[in-house]
């Protein structure tokens, strides 16, 4: 009898294994998020127009699916039932109608909220309302939830995010769960069963070298991804934050670097620019099929930093069918010349054809070494196909 009781107590004290909807993000999610450009200045027309452009521009065909409405969509208070509602001035048609519109375009609908009491902009957070909110999101047709970490007080991150993950599961609608906890509690160590992606850092900003109190330039966000590759894979991704590609604070090479490095890192590709003002050069970057195929490779490997010379990094991503992607990044302020000796890449076996993604052509094989110039803050992105 005593043994039976002890066994029962043991079972009761082990936390239930987290359940999440499996298979929603077998490759890194792709889409657009309102925050990097618009912050809280969002509304229904803007989101619908963005959905239209995502389709018309060819971004949908290139793989972008999720339209995620970030902070700023909510009314300042819950209603008398404790339910969340959109700000009636910004979203007069309501979130269900917006979701229906986005779905009618063959796209998916994402929304933002926060695991704390309030969002970073003081709107109602989800703490203590997880099951009620999850049912609300499901009833609106939400497909993706980005869940922030402001105003969390003394809450335990793992427990809090698990509660919301369980609530989403219980609500019954498959919803991608994106943890936005800024990497504070090393979510890569515990979030694989809870969500589909987790932020690894504080906020990105559209600046290469900036280092603010709350946000970081591209250069620093990139550095912080080193070593996290072992935690990423199908359905559980490291998220170095949304893209700044095309935003005014980045030069064209910096935008190209942002996109290319996110591709080799198997990072979620959430565009964060104003699609209404996108130049053809930026659209070409965001829809480059070869770069996206590297990102979406089903093996789901995140690139590791193969070499770090001052001002020059090499990121290497293993792909299916014995292919490799190699991304050289010049973080210095001058053009540098790469002297590529293929023998230095110990993982290569035999001879490979080299495809240069941004030149969009084959540039020969690994049978001979080569020198290539790489402009300041730019990348060279190569895809190696085995010849035998
Ligand atoms: C931050 C988050 C940003 C954005 C913002 C909204 O915590 O990292 O990506 O969602 O909150 O207030």
């Amino acid at each position: 009898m005593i043994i039976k009781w002890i066994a029962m107590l043991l079972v009761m004290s082990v936390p239930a294994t987290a359940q999440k909807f499996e298979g929603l993000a077998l490759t890194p999610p792709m889409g657009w998020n309102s925050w990097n450009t618009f912050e809280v200045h969002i509304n229904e027309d803007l989101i619908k127009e963005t959905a239209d452009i995502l389709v018309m521009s060819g971004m949908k065909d290139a793989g972008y699916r999720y339209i995620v409405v970030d902070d700023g969509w909510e009314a300042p208070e819950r209603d008398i039932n404790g339910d969340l509602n959109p700000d009636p001035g910004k979203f007069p048609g309501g979130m269900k109608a917006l979701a229906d519109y986005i779905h009618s375009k063959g796209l998916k609908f994402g929304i933002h909220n926060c695991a704390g009491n309030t969002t970073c902009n003081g709107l109602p957070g989800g703490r203590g309302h997880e099951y009620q909110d999850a049912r609300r999101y499901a009833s609106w047709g939400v497909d993706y939830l980005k869940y922030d970490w402001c105003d969390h007080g003394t809450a335990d991150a793992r427990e809090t995010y698990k509660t919301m993950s369980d609530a989403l599961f219980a609500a019954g609608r498959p919803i991608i769960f994106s943890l936005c906890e800024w990497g504070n509690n090393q979510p890569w160590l515990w979030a694989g069963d809870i969500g589909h992606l987790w932020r690894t850092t504080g906020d990105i900003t559209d600046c290469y070298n900036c280092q603010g109190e709350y946000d970081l330039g591209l250069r620093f966000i990139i550095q912080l991804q080193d070593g996290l590759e072992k935690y990423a894979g199908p359905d559980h991704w490291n998220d170095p934050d949304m893209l700044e590609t095309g935003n005014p604070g980045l030069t064209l090479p910096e935008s190209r670097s942002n996109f290319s490095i996110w591709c080799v890192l198997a990072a979620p590709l959430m565009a964060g620019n104003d699609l209404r003002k996108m130049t053809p050069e930026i659209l070409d970057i965001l829809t480059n099929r070869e770069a996206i195929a590297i990102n979406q490779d089903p093996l789901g490997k995140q690139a590791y930093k193969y070499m770090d010379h001052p001002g020059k990094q090499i990121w290497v991503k293993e792909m299916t069918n014995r292919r490799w992607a190699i991304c050289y990044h010049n973080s210095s302020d001058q053009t540098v010349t790469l002297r590529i000796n293929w023998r230095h890449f110990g993982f290569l076996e035999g001879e490979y054809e080299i495809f240069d993604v941004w030149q969009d052509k084959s540039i020969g094989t690994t049978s001979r070494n080569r020198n290539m110039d790489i402009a300041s803050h730019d990348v060279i992105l190569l895809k190696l196909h085995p010849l035998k």
Side-chain angles (χ1 to χ4, degrees):
M1 188 62 179
I2 290 181
I3 292 179
K4 209 168 146 193
W5 272 106
I6 292 175
M8 261 180 74
L9 276 175
L10 274 177
V11 169
M12 283 162 65
S13 62
V14 174
T17 337
Q19 281 179 307
K20 69 175 190 187
F21 283 101
E22 304 281 349
L24 299 183
L26 291 177
T27 59
M30 294 176 67
W32 177 89
N33 175 300
S34 53
W35 184 257
N36 283 357
T37 294
F38 298 100
E39 302 197 337
V40 295
H41 310 292
I42 48 176
N43 61 62
E44 190 172 289
D45 292 341
L46 168 74
I47 303 298
K48 286 182 175 171
E49 201 184 341
T50 300
D52 295 345
I53 302 174
L54 202 85
V55 176
M56 284 178 328
S57 63
M59 286 179 73
K60 179 187 171 210
D61 286 343
Y64 295 84
R65 283 289 178 284
Y66 292 89
I67 297 275
V68 182
V69 179
D70 209 287
D71 204 356
W73 63 268
E74 292 178 85
E77 305 287 343
R78 289 176 180 269
D79 65 20
I80 46 167
N81 301 316
D83 277 329
L84 294 175
N85 289 291
D87 179 321
K90 292 176 171 178
F91 294 91
M95 293 330 238
K96 170 84 172 75
L98 183 58
D100 288 348
Y101 184 84
I102 289 172
H103 290 151
S104 77
K105 301 257 146 190
L107 300 171
K108 289 179 177 284
F109 178 49
I111 211 163
H112 164 279
N113 207 319
C114 185
N117 291 310
T118 56
T119 72
C120 308
N121 287 282
L123 295 169
R127 188 150 179 76
H129 295 268
E130 289 85 356
Y131 282 78
Q132 178 176 14
D133 291 351
R135 286 194 297 274
R136 189 93 166 140
Y137 299 142
S139 77
W140 286 341
V142 168
D143 305 296
Y144 184 114
L145 175 67
K146 172 177 169 184
Y147 218 45
D148 221 319
W149 191 228
C150 275
D151 196 11
H152 57 265
T154 55
D156 174 77
R158 182 180 186 162
E159 213 173 274
T160 309
Y161 280 98
K162 183 182 172 309
T163 304
M164 192 59 198
S165 174
D166 289 346
L168 291 173
F169 195 76
R173 183 179 170 87
I175 294 181
I176 288 194
F177 190 35
S178 154
L179 286 75
C180 176
E181 173 273 357
W182 318 314
N184 288 8
N185 297 278
Q186 300 180 293
W188 45 89
L189 297 179
W190 49 264
D193 294 336
I194 291 178
H196 303 88
L197 59 153
W198 51 81
R199 279 273 296 278
T200 54
T201 67
D203 288 14
I204 194 170
T205 182
D206 65 332
C207 165
Y208 190 77
N209 274 318
C210 298
Q211 208 172 8
E213 195 181 342
Y214 297 110
D215 48 28
L216 290 173
L218 197 53
R219 173 201 202 105
F220 302 100
I221 298 269
I222 294 168
Q223 280 171 10
L224 290 166
Q225 308 314 311
D226 186 17
L228 296 182
E229 60 277 356
K230 52 183 168 295
Y231 303 106
D235 237 14
H236 55 278
W237 308 101
N238 288 310
D239 174 9
D241 207 351
M242 298 151 325
L243 293 163
E244 293 285 6
T245 301
N247 281 339
L250 295 188
T251 63
L252 197 62
E254 289 164 355
S255 274
R256 187 167 33 242
S257 293
N258 184 183
F259 192 70
S260 306
I261 295 172
W262 267 230
C263 284
V264 292
L265 288 176
L269 297 179
M270 302 302 284
N273 55 323
D274 184 346
L275 300 192
R276 302 167 309 175
K277 298 186 181 151
M278 177 165 51
T279 62
E281 291 81 5
I282 292 298
L283 180 62
D284 284 350
I285 293 175
L286 288 172
T287 55
N288 185 293
R289 293 290 201 277
E290 295 288 342
I292 292 173
I294 293 173
N295 176 265
Q296 296 286 304
D297 184 74
L299 197 58
K301 292 263 184 167
Q302 172 173 328
Y304 60 98
K305 203 198 270 176
Y306 187 72
M307 235 174 245
D308 198 350
H309 295 298
K312 209 173 9 172
Q313 296 90 40
I314 308 176
W315 295 85
V316 168
K317 181 186 201 291
E318 185 183 359
M319 298 175 65
T320 45
N321 299 325
R322 297 169 42 235
R323 293 168 307 159
W324 295 89
I326 303 183
C327 186
Y328 298 85
H329 179 50
N330 175 2
S331 56
S332 81
D333 294 334
Q334 300 89 38
T335 296
V336 294
T337 302
L338 299 170
R339 301 189 196 287
I340 307 177
N341 179 344
W342 298 108
R343 263 192 307 252
H344 290 162
F345 293 102
F347 54 85
L348 296 179
E349 292 166 353
E351 195 179 345
Y352 293 74
E353 189 198 321
I354 309 163
F355 186 82
D356 183 321
V357 170
W358 297 116
Q359 287 193 61
D360 194 24
K361 61 175 191 193
S362 289
I363 56 166
T365 76
T366 51
S367 61
R368 73 178 182 85
N369 295 332
R370 55 176 60 239
N371 295 340
M372 292 175 94
D373 281 346
I374 173 167
S376 164
H377 300 180
D378 210 341
V379 279
I380 288 178
L381 180 57
L382 305 177
K383 214 164 168 179
L384 270 51
H385 299 253
L387 284 172
K388 284 198 273 251

